[in-house]
Amino acid sequence: MKREDIESGILITLTYGSEVPDAETAKRHLQAFCKRLLRVWPKAGLVWRLEHQQRGAIHFHLLLMGVRQVPATWIGQAWHEIVDTEEESHREAGTRVERVRGCAGQVMTYLCKPEVLAEEEERTGRCWGLRGNWRAYEAPVTTVTLTSEEMARLARALDAEKRAQVRRRKTASGKALRWARRRKPGALLRPSRWQTHPEIFLERLRGICGEDGERGQICGDG
């Protein structure tokens, strides 16, 4: 998704009270809520994510794009009617609405984190999806071809950038820096900075890839 659309988006959290349905029922609730939401704001696009709370209950996170303002009371009332629970407190406590306010990297890292299930929990099928006019907010895709040597150089560059990020946080202890140097598998490929600031990534690639025009050529307009 385009960074500017994410940063101007709205985060919606949908939870349940003491009465927690199964995954199939919860997804029907989500589908009904999305339909109701898109009837009011037909040009909106959204990304939804299913997660399990510590108590094992299902809840949903939605990133809504293309809408300037969504009344929290409307969200609470709509979700309460769809869930159809007798718990009156659920009308206010069952939802949360907040603006992204420029934290695109944190939002996408949160939505893209891997699904973790406890041993007693069953897989619920697909844990994320897209609804509405989401293609209007889709960012262009850039394709890059690297040789194994160029990939190794890129990994070293990412590793150096990760350590620089940790140093900038100015942690009181050296634990964070030691963690970065251990190079945990996959950790260097998930920094939100690369997801939300592709121009930095591409600029670094131009210094890594070959200059003969055949290898490491950046394709596309993005």
Side-chain angles (χ1 to χ4, degrees), residues 82-187:
I82 291 171
V83 173
D84 192 21
T85 176
E86 296 181 357
E87 297 180 54
E88 190 60 30
S89 61
H90 179 263
R91 192 187 310 273
E92 295 183 2
T95 59
R96 185 176 65 184
V97 182
E98 55 188 329
R99 284 202 167 275
V100 177
R101 298 188 185 280
C103 301
Q106 295 180 13
V107 170
M108 296 312 295
T109 299
Y110 188 71
L111 291 177
C112 296
K113 64 184 180 182
E115 183 182 20
V116 179
L117 299 175
E119 293 182 0
E120 66 275 9
E121 293 175 346
E122 297 182 0
R123 186 166 295 279
T124 56
R126 190 169 186 175
C127 63
W128 68 275
L130 303 163
R131 297 297 301 270
N133 189 30
W134 61 269
R135 289 191 181 276
Y137 312 99
E138 191 177 14
V141 177
T142 299
T143 302
V144 180
T145 303
L146 300 178
T147 65
S148 57
E149 180 183 355
E150 290 167 345
M151 194 66 195
R153 293 168 61 189
L154 174 60
R156 289 195 294 272
L158 288 173
D159 185 57
E161 176 62 26
K162 182 63 178 181
R163 291 199 300 270
Q165 287 179 359
V166 174
R167 283 194 294 269
R168 284 193 290 269
R169 294 186 188 124
K170 297 180 180 179
T171 53
S173 65
K175 292 182 180 179
L177 185 57
R178 289 196 297 271
W179 175 87
R181 285 173 175 166
R182 283 201 299 268
R183 301 183 184 183
K184 288 191 175 183

Side-chain angles (χ1 to χ4, degrees), residues 13 28 33 50 66 74-75 94 102 129 142 150 180 191 201:
T13 303
R28 286 202 300 267
F33 178 82
L50 179 151
W74 187 94
I75 296 293
T142 299
E150 290 167 345
F201 179 75

Side-chain angles (χ1 to χ4, degrees), residues 48-106:
W48 65 266
R49 174 66 194 265
L50 179 151
E51 279 193 336
H52 289 82
Q53 295 175 319
Q54 292 183 351
R55 60 178 176 141
I58 289 174
H59 67 288
F60 298 99
H61 298 287
L62 287 75
L63 171 62
L64 184 65
M65 295 169 290
V67 179
R68 288 189 174 184
Q69 185 176 1
V70 176
T73 53
W74 187 94
I75 296 293
Q77 180 65 28
W79 181 241
H80 182 72
E81 292 176 358
I82 291 171
V83 173
D84 192 21
T85 176
E86 296 181 357
E87 297 180 54
E88 190 60 30
S89 61
H90 179 263
R91 192 187 310 273
E92 295 183 2
T95 59
R96 185 176 65 184
V97 182
E98 55 188 329
R99 284 202 167 275
V100 177
R101 298 188 185 280
C103 301
Q106 295 180 13

